[in-house]
Structures are given as C-alpha cells and as structure tokens.
Amino acid sequence: MHVETLRRYPVKSMLGEELAESEVGERGLAGDRARAVLDVATGKIASAKNPRLWRGLLAIEGARAPGDAELSELLGREVRLIDVPPEGAHLERSVPERVLADGIEAEVPYTTTVLGSGSPEGTFFDFAPLHLITTSTVERIGALGPRGSVEALRYRPNLVIATEPDGFVENDWAGRELHIGAEVVLHVIVPSPRCAVPTLAHGSLERDADALRTVARHNRVTVFDLDDQACAGVYARVLRPGLVRKGDPVRLA
C-alpha cells in the first residue's frame, strides 16, 4: 500500500487542493479546514451537507476564497469567513436518503451535528481530523454503479491509499494503526458514514446521485451504536505526527 493522493481543504465545504507533501499533526494536514463559513442569521457553520442552502460552496476554490461581501452575494445569504469556531458550533446534515428521493432543492429533514467530537478543540472537522479512502473502495463503488467509475475526490478524503484487494477493504481497519512513511502513525477510528455531498457537483464535476446510492446499496455497516450506515472510507486521528509525502508506503499494524 502507498499514498496515492494527498489533499487538503483550506475552507470547510469548499474545493480542496492536491499536495505533494504535508506535515501531519493532531489537527490533521497542515492548513486543512483552517477556515469555515459562518451563516450570520443562524450562527451555524455552513456545510454542503445541507445541499439546499450550501451546495454552492463546492464551486469555490478554498485556497482563493473571496471576501465576506462577495461570498455572501455568491451564496445568497449573509455569511462571513471565520478561523475560530464559535462556542458550541453546529452544522446541519440533511438526511441523505431524503436528498436522493426529493432532490437537492427540496426542504428535507436534517440532523444538527456538533463539530469535531473526535478532533482537538477549536477545529472545523465534522468528526475526526483525517479522512482516508482506498482505491479498492473507489474502484468497487465505480464498478457497481451505472457509469462504471467514480471520482475519489467526491468523498473529500485527505489521503487516498492505493490498495490491491477488491472491495471495501478499510471496513476492517477500525481500531488498528496505519504507519505512513518513516514517521506518521494514525489510529483508525470508524468507517465514514456518507452524507449527500458525494452526489453534488464539485467544481467541473457534474452531479452524480449514484456516488451515494451505490454505497447505500452495497456497503452498510455499524458505526458506534448506529446500525446500517452507508459508508465509504474511514476516519482517523494522529498518534505520531510527521511528514507525509505522496508515494509514501503505508503499513497496517
């Protein structure tokens, strides 16, 4: 196994950027989710997990995010960029199955999620500071879907790990350690339940509802005490920091 792709997302829910290398610490990749968009009216963090309101974030390059006034005009709501989460920061996660059934413009039920319960305080991560997905999983989703392929970046991973076995191989990594390169050690926490984000347009990529629908049909697993979650990839935290490079070997302990 080796690191095939390394990506960070400078602003939460905006487009990311591919890296050749990055320092990795307890807060994930250097500069990852360093900022987020605050909805001034509600005090909640804007997230494309609520596509009706915030899918437009996925059309914006996070590394070149515009100022508050221009961003508010683009998104149609008063927002501002922040680099420190407000106390008790929350975001809205639309029920993915309802988004698939009713469409991205429909008002659908949502859950309210506390940011970063598996991350250091003061971060903008949904849960943990790192998200990984394997090429085996991406290839399986693609093979099972009608297009015959799917793009890894739809799932917004920090690391794409090149793997040889077929199937959703990282389902079995929870609770184990990943050693990356000469320095970095990660602890894999749980598989990643998927929201509606993979189905949305990402920059030049068009919508693809099957990026979620295929996962929901073929890879449902238990996450903590939640049964039957549609999952692709895993969340991880950093046990030993260091430098990660594209091409670094990866070993599962």
Side-chain angles (χ1 to χ4, degrees):
M1 298 191 294
H2 67 271
V3 177
E4 180 173 272
T5 307
L6 196 61
R7 295 185 69 83
R8 70 178 171 200
Y9 306 86
V11 180
K12 184 175 183 61
S13 277
M14 291 188 187
L15 296 174
E17 55 188 0
E18 190 167 338
L19 306 172
E21 62 179 39
S22 176
E23 291 289 339
V24 179
E26 67 169 2
R27 299 170 73 94
L29 300 188
D32 189 42
R33 274 82 170 192
R35 297 192 291 172
V37 175
L38 181 73
D39 183 359
V40 173
T42 66
K44 294 178 180 177
I45 300 298
S47 169
K49 291 176 183 293
N50 182 338
R52 184 179 67 86
L53 294 180
W54 304 116
R55 64 185 184 274
L57 290 169
L58 289 168
I60 302 169
E61 295 284 348
R64 293 185 288 274
D68 292 349
E70 184 179 352
L71 193 57
S72 296
E73 185 175 354
L74 284 171
L75 297 172
R77 293 174 70 91
E78 185 182 0
V79 299
R80 56 187 174 91
L81 279 171
I82 57 174
D83 56 14
V84 177
E87 186 175 353
H90 289 69
L91 57 81
E92 294 175 357
R93 181 184 190 268
S94 297
V95 175
E97 292 80 5
R98 290 295 301 272
V99 176
L100 285 177
D102 300 343
I104 58 175
E105 296 184 2
E107 289 196 39
V108 300
Y110 62 84
T111 56
T112 301
T113 304
V114 179
L115 280 183
S117 57
S119 301
E121 188 175 348
T123 60
F124 290 109
F125 300 109
D126 290 339
F127 174 59
L130 286 172
H131 174 233
L132 295 72
I133 198 167
T134 65
T135 57
S136 296
T137 286
V138 174
E139 289 166 6
R140 173 58 65 90
I141 296 168
L144 291 169
R147 283 202 295 130
S149 65
V150 73
E151 299 81 7
L153 64 81
R154 290 185 180 278
Y155 303 95
R156 297 177 66 80
N158 295 117
L159 287 85
V160 178
I161 307 297
T163 46
E164 292 184 0
D166 291 332
F168 300 94
V169 298
E170 62 268 45
N171 283 357
D172 298 325
W173 291 4
R176 303 177 70 181
E177 292 182 2
L178 279 181
H179 295 245
I180 303 179
E183 301 174 329
V184 173
V185 180
L186 308 180
H187 174 256
V188 179
I189 306 172
V190 288
S192 304
R194 303 317 315 194
C195 61
V197 168
T199 72
L200 305 177
H202 285 61
S204 61
L205 291 180
E206 296 181 356
R207 285 194 66 211
D208 182 4
D210 290 295
L212 173 60
R213 187 175 287 122
T214 301
V215 175
R217 287 173 177 168
H218 297 282
N219 194 47
R220 303 192 77 95
V221 299
T222 298
V223 178
F224 296 134
D225 59 346
L226 301 175
D227 293 333
D228 226 20
Q229 299 296 299
C231 292
V234 288
Y235 285 119
R237 62 186 178 92
V238 179
L239 296 180
R240 190 168 71 205
L243 183 68
V244 170
R245 297 182 177 88
K246 185 175 178 178
D248 273 352
V250 178
R251 178 173 61 88
L252 186 64

